[in-house]
Amino acid sequence: MKEPEKHEDFMSHCHCFVYKDEVITENYDFGRVELIDTSKASECVKEQLNNIYLLYYDTICIAVYNQHPKQNIKTIEFFIKKYQTDTTRLSDFVKFDSSIKITIDRLCKDQNDKTYYGTYTWWKSIEYSTLTIPYYQTKVELLQTWYNWTE
């Protein structure tokens, strides 16, 4: 019997195997959302990917935590547009009561890096306060410091 097809995007957010038959797909005007089907998923998948949604927006995949992306799509779209360049993209979005935390990935262009060259990797974590409009940036943390990336 053939093994089910793995869901690589979900697997990048946990320490278990995730199969495509464990995932529910929802289509919206703004893109596609995938979430774990708790009636079919393994215990490992249910435990590690509870309340995580993958938003496929244009050409990128964004992990949205705690709330379905449709609840915050305008805010997510704002951050996509703010951070989308030819070498950077939004990869994670988490909304809390009074803040939003996002992760920005950056394309590794260092040809000497045989592991990450040509792939996107975590670059920055940025936190915004939602107590003001427009949102106020409260914290920026550089996640990858060993690359020869200029600011």
Side-chain angles (χ1 to χ4, degrees), residues 4-5 14 17 21 29 31 33 69-70 74 83 103 105 122 135:
E5 190 176 351
C14 69
F17 288 108
D21 63 351
D29 291 341
V33 174
K70 67 183 178 185
K74 294 297 181 200
Y83 292 104
T103 304
D105 286 354
W122 287 353
Y135 298 143

Side-chain angles (χ1 to χ4, degrees), residues 108-119 121 146-147:
C108 178
K109 296 171 79 176
D110 180 0
Q111 294 182 5
N112 296 321
D113 188 329
K114 302 300 181 203
T115 305
Y116 293 106
Y117 175 71
T119 64
T121 58
W146 60 86
Y147 296 119

Side-chain angles (χ1 to χ4, degrees), residues 41-100:
S42 69
E43 289 303 314
C44 179
V45 170
K46 286 191 278 191
E47 182 178 306
Q48 292 188 27
L49 297 174
N50 187 32
N51 288 324
I52 297 177
Y53 305 86
L54 295 183
L55 168 61
Y56 293 90
Y57 186 96
D58 196 20
T59 61
I60 60 175
C61 175
I62 304 151
V64 179
Y65 296 80
N66 299 336
Q67 297 177 347
H68 195 288
K70 67 183 178 185
Q71 295 176 292
N72 296 295
I73 192 61
K74 294 297 181 200
T75 304
I76 295 168
E77 288 176 328
F78 167 79
F79 286 115
I80 289 170
K81 290 174 184 156
K82 182 172 179 65
Y83 292 104
Q84 183 78 26
T85 70
D86 59 337
T87 59
T88 61
R89 65 183 183 194
L90 179 67
S91 62
D92 293 315
F93 176 92
V94 188
K95 184 161 189 321
F96 301 101
D97 289 337
S98 61
S99 67
I100 293 172

Side-chain angles (χ1 to χ4, degrees), residues 3 30 37 109 127 147:
E3 183 175 338
F30 55 80
D37 184 343
K109 296 171 79 176
E127 194 165 321
Y147 296 119

Side-chain angles (χ1 to χ4, degrees), residues 3-31:
E3 183 175 338
E5 190 176 351
K6 293 176 183 160
H7 195 294
E8 300 294 334
D9 291 336
F10 265 123
M11 286 175 52
S12 69
H13 293 279
C14 69
H15 299 288
C16 2
F17 288 108
V18 182
Y19 299 100
K20 289 190 175 183
D21 63 351
E22 297 176 301
V23 174
I24 297 170
T25 300
E26 301 173 344
N27 292 300
Y28 296 92
D29 291 341
F30 55 80

